[in-house]
Each structure stands twice: as C-alpha cells, then as structure tokens.
Amino acid sequence: MSEHASPSRTELAATALGVPSKGRELVAAVSAFRGCPSPGEGLAERLVAATFAALDQVPLDVRLYVHDLQDTAEKWPALPITLPPTPWQAATLVDDLATLVTELSAAELREAAEGLALTRGDIALAHDKPVLTRLWAEDDEPLPDAAALPRDRRAREAALLQLFDHAHPREWTGEQTGAVRKALLVRLAGLGDALLRVSALPPARVDWQGDGEGVTALVPVPGAPQPLEARVAAEAVEPHPFTSWDEPMWGFPETAASPGRWRWAVGWRSAGGAFHTDAGSPEASEAAARFGAEQTLVAYAAQASTVRQRLRHRLLVPRQPGTLSLSDPAVLVLGLRELLQAVCDEYRAETSRPEDATGWRVVPHQDEDQECGLITILLDDCSLPHPELGDPANTADPADPAFEDFLRSHAVVLTPPARTYLAGLSQAGPGELPLPRRHEAAMRAVFAVGGEAADLLTAETGPLPDHMAWIDLLDVAALEEFLTATEPDQPR
C-alpha cells in the first residue's frame, strides 16, 4: 500500500478486530463476530476469503445497515421490502457473492456446507421453492412436484432434510441442490455484513469491567452528573422447537456454533441509582455486542450536549441555572395547545374506561410507588421530562420557580399561557380531584391574565370557530371539539 493510499475494508476490519489482515485470523475473527464457527480449511475458507475480496471493492463512503446483505440474500434475486429501503449496493454485492456458489457442483456444495458448519435449520430456512426455481435455473433436473410432498411447510422441510441423510450429492434433486446453494449464499452474505460493519467505523476502545452478570463500561461526560454507561450480558435464547435444527447438516456436533445471544445497552443512571437504557440491541456474539455498545458510546459522547433519553426525555448534560438560551439547539418549547391536547387525550382515555376513573393530584409528581401525578402525565404525553422521586422539584408546585428551573435545566421552555395553565391546575385544590375540575381552574387562570388574553390564546391555540366563545373551553368536551376543528394541516 502506498504512503497515501486509503486502507482497504479488510485492513480496517482487521484493525478493529485486532488481527492480521491476511490469512485465517481475519476469517476466524469475522466469523466469531458474526456468531458463526470458524470455516474449515479448504473450499469453505476460500469462499469466505473470496467474499471479503469482493467486498474490499466497496468504497468506504458506501454505508450499509447491519443485515442488508443477509436480508437481500434471503430473498435474492428479488429485493426484500425493508425500511429504510435496501440500498442498490446490497443487491449488486449479493449478485457478486452468488457467482461464488452458482458454479459449484453438488459435491463441492456439500464440502463447503460442511466446512462452514451449516446447520439443518440453515438448509431448511433456505428451502423456498418459488425463489429456488428462479435462482438456480441452471440446474437441469426439474424440481419435485409440490403435490408429491407434504403440504405443511415444516413437514416439507423435514422431508427435504431426511433425504439428505441418505443421499449422496450426485443423487440430490434440484430442490436439494438449490437449498444448499441458497444457504451458502445467506451465510456468506452474513459474514459480509460483519466485515462491512466492523470496517465502517474506527475502533472505539473502552475499559470494560466484569461485574458477575456481564461487563460494564463507564464514560464520564463533562457537565453530566452521571457518566454514560454501557452494559453487555448474555441473554437466554429459546431452543428451536426442532432440537436437531441447530445441529450441523454434515460433520460433527462440536463444529456448530454455540447457540446464544448477547445484548448491549447504553444509558445513564438517575440520581437514585437506577439505570435507564437509552439504546440497545441483541447481537450474535459478545464481540458484536461490545462493538455496538462502544460505537454508541462514542456517538453519544460526540453530541453529548443535545442527547436526550428516549423514554425520560432528560438531557445527558443538564443546563446550569441562568445559562439556557433560546438559541440552544436542545431547546424544546411547550405551548398551550400541546398541553390542552394532552389533557384531552387523558380525558378521552378516562371516559372510555369509567371503571378506571380516578382523581388527579398535582404534587408530588411521582410518589414512592412510582405513581405519577397529573403534571407528570401531561409532560410525558408531550414527550418532555418531569420531576421524579428524589428530585428536589418532585414536590414543587408548578407555580414554584423550582419547578420551572427543573424544566429549564433540561432545556424545556414554557410559553406564558402554558406556564399559567400548569400553575392553574393546582388552584382547584389539594388532593385527588376530577380532571375536568382541574382543567376548569387552569383555564380560568389563563383567562385572568389580562386584556390581551384573547390574542395570546389565538396565537397559542388558533382562532375560535364562529359558534364558540373562549369561555366554552372551560369544558373538556368542548375543548376536544375545538382542538379537533382547528387541527393544523398535517404535512403530506
């Protein structure tokens, strides 16, 4: 490689996995990353090496998703329906990989399948007659008549596999030959996915520590009260209903990969010490799980100032008092209309299940049983953070500056009518009160702002229909009618 040449995909993958870029080490490392046994010497290893050589030609700026090649191979030559759509590159690459197996004889297919430790399940899942008919049209032997085989798919698959147990490759039917070819293509595509994945991003090493249940890594973030935390642990996998499905189709049981799954999670802890997952995924190996967690840690740390937890909506890096600006890219503005829509959603849910109807308190926002008050429910409906048990603001009335300080620490700004409405919810009285009663008190507080109240309301919620007056909105049912009649046009 010249001094200024870019590294190849295989070189980048080797660096990420900590192995040489040439020879068996890379093939074995990528296979382990994918949760597959290391290919045996000979044809199987050469097919994997040829797969990597084909993918080495993929420009580094082409980004594919984790399973794009395998998903495409499972449907090849038809494209799978995926969201986002499968990139055209995936179809082109699978075309290239298919050329590696289309010319193999039945005996070579069996040799490669044994070397890659393809399981009985791999072969059965590849058994799809309509696709095989188009995929392997070069086979001269016609496929068996479907009417001559059991109708139930699992029974057909079992019958197909039983034939393999006694037939020499030269006696295989076209259907059997096609199933093995398809299974080989799917395995090669899956290993290709792994190579592309580990070559797409630079290594992100972190300090993993064992804790008895898995491994954990902590990444401190300036300004964050808690570090980012990653966790990786083994996850139980339900055995396949057909116990033999995980056994190698040919070869010895010890050549099969140990069935298992690993899950990674990235998040951070609350002040009370509870871990809150923000991102995570199951993986086929511990190495893949660590890789996913490491890359997520790096991505989060790079944009730490704007990262919010998906479920709690809190910022990783809260804003200090008096430092929040409306130009802050993390700022979310809560207006009156969004609040009123949340009130209507709760009212609708309550009236649809009258047996579950209950009163609503304002504070505390979350009690020791994790039960939430009205403010918490409304903020959560608006995908905004709320005070929790252990937060100083958990017992703060919405009219208390400490409550708004909490919101501003997580870059949430209230419009004046929204602020007035939230504060007005407690004016109905203490304890648990019906939602319509609290809503009426809050709307009266909004109406009492002054002479410009109507202009403020129009700016926040939209104009009133001709048949309504603002006073009508004291009633939750009328409010719902108003919000439905004045619903903004949805983007097409």
Side-chain angles (χ1 to χ4, degrees):
M1 185 175 68
S2 67
E3 182 179 354
H4 301 291
S6 299
S8 67
R9 288 271 182 181
T10 50
E11 289 169 334
L12 290 171
T15 299
L17 296 172
V19 297
S21 60
K22 304 291 185 182
R24 303 197 70 230
E25 291 90 344
L26 179 61
V27 170
V30 173
S31 298
F33 185 91
R34 188 68 179 184
C36 299
S38 181
E41 295 183 12
L43 179 57
E45 188 177 76
R46 292 198 299 273
L47 286 173
V48 178
T51 296
F52 291 176
L55 299 183
D56 235 351
Q57 310 307 311
V58 180
L60 296 179
D61 59 350
V62 172
R63 303 295 284 272
L64 299 174
Y65 289 87
V66 176
H67 300 292
D68 273 341
L69 294 185
Q70 180 167 319
D71 289 347
T72 304
E74 288 172 354
K75 297 293 187 294
W76 194 89
L79 280 177
I81 299 175
T82 60
L83 292 173
T86 301
W88 65 266
Q89 291 95 338
T92 301
L93 292 171
V94 171
D95 282 341
D96 293 339
L97 301 186
T99 62
L100 300 176
V101 296
T102 52
E103 300 302 324
L104 296 180
S105 66
E108 290 171 322
L109 291 173
R110 186 193 183 287
E111 177 187 351
E114 181 174 351
L116 288 168
L118 293 188
T119 66
R120 299 174 71 85
D122 292 331
I123 304 296
L125 292 174
H127 174 220
D128 188 333
K129 181 182 176 183
V131 172
L132 294 175
T133 303
R134 297 174 55 197
L135 181 58
W136 313 119
E138 71 278 7
D139 284 327
D140 295 330
E141 186 174 356
L143 296 179
D145 184 1
L149 294 172
R151 292 186 178 183
D152 178 78
R153 177 174 175 126
R154 286 192 174 181
R156 290 191 68 211
E157 291 167 349
L160 177 88
L161 297 179
Q162 189 174 18
L163 292 174
F164 278 122
D165 292 334
H166 307 288
H168 189 277
R170 62 174 172 268
E171 300 170 345
W172 287 355
T173 66
E175 188 172 29
Q176 288 174 292
T177 304
V180 178
R181 280 198 177 118
K182 181 69 172 291
L184 283 172
L185 177 62
V186 171
R187 171 62 63 83
L188 295 177
L191 293 173
D193 281 326
L195 179 83
L196 293 178
R197 183 181 181 190
V198 295
S199 66
L201 298 166
R205 309 300 186 196
V206 299
D207 183 20
W208 292 100
Q209 300 292 328
D211 59 6
E213 297 182 357
V215 292
T216 301
L218 301 177
V219 175
V221 176
Q226 300 288 342
L228 278 169
E229 184 173 337
R231 309 170 77 179
V232 170
E235 190 173 62
V237 178
E238 289 291 328
H240 195 282
F242 295 166
T243 55
S244 65
W245 244 231
D246 294 326
E247 296 177 0
M249 187 70 242
W250 297 280
F252 302 97
E254 56 268 22
T255 64
S258 300
R261 187 168 64 177
W262 294 76
R263 181 174 292 275
W264 64 267
V266 168
W268 59 93
R269 294 183 180 274
S270 64
F275 178 75
H276 297 273
T277 299
D278 194 61
S281 177
E283 301 283 359
S285 69
E286 182 180 4
R290 290 196 188 203
F291 181 86
E294 290 166 353
Q295 295 298 334
T296 303
L297 285 173
V298 168
Y300 275 29
Q303 52 185 337
S305 64
T306 57
V307 169
R308 289 183 184 273
Q309 285 181 333
R310 287 180 301 158
L311 298 180
R312 297 169 73 228
H313 315 297
R314 294 186 172 210
L315 287 174
L316 171 61
V317 181
R319 304 309 188 246
Q320 296 301 310
T323 64
L324 185 63
S325 166
L326 288 178
S327 61
D328 189 321
V331 160
L332 300 174
V333 178
L334 177 61
L336 181 59
R337 185 180 182 96
E338 291 83 358
L339 269 178
L340 295 178
Q341 185 64 63
V343 169
C344 283
D345 289 344
E346 290 305 316
Y347 179 71
R348 190 182 306 115
E350 188 176 85
T351 54
S352 67
R353 297 189 304 272
E355 68 278 6
D356 297 334
T358 184
W360 294 92
R361 69 169 191 273
V362 174
V363 290
H365 301 289
Q366 188 180 74
D367 63 21
E368 294 182 354
D369 295 325
Q370 305 295 308
E371 295 291 334
C372 298
L374 178 58
I375 303 296
T376 293
I377 296 295
L378 298 181
L379 290 174
D380 192 61
D381 284 350
C382 296
S383 299
L384 296 173
H386 56 78
E388 298 174 352
L389 190 66
D391 290 324
N394 189 47
T395 57
D397 186 90
D400 189 325
F403 175 81
E404 191 164 359
D405 287 345
F406 166 83
L407 291 180
R408 294 181 71 86
S409 72
H410 290 286
V412 176
V413 175
L414 302 174
T415 64
R419 182 187 304 113
T420 303
Y421 183 89
L422 285 176
L425 288 171
S426 62
Q427 294 182 13
E432 296 188 349
L433 299 174
L435 181 58
R437 184 171 167 183
R438 290 211 177 275
H439 164 71
E440 180 180 342
M443 285 304 296
R444 289 191 183 278
V446 172
F447 292 155
V449 168
E452 298 180 357
D455 293 336
L456 285 173
L457 284 169
T458 299
E460 290 268 321
T461 65
L464 279 172
D466 292 339
H467 68 282
M468 296 186 75
W470 289 113
I471 197 69
D472 294 335
L473 303 188
L474 294 175
D475 178 69
V476 182
L479 172 66
E480 183 171 10
E481 177 188 349
F482 163 72
L483 292 174
T484 302
T486 59
E487 188 173 16
D489 293 335
Q490 297 296 316
R492 295 184 179 180

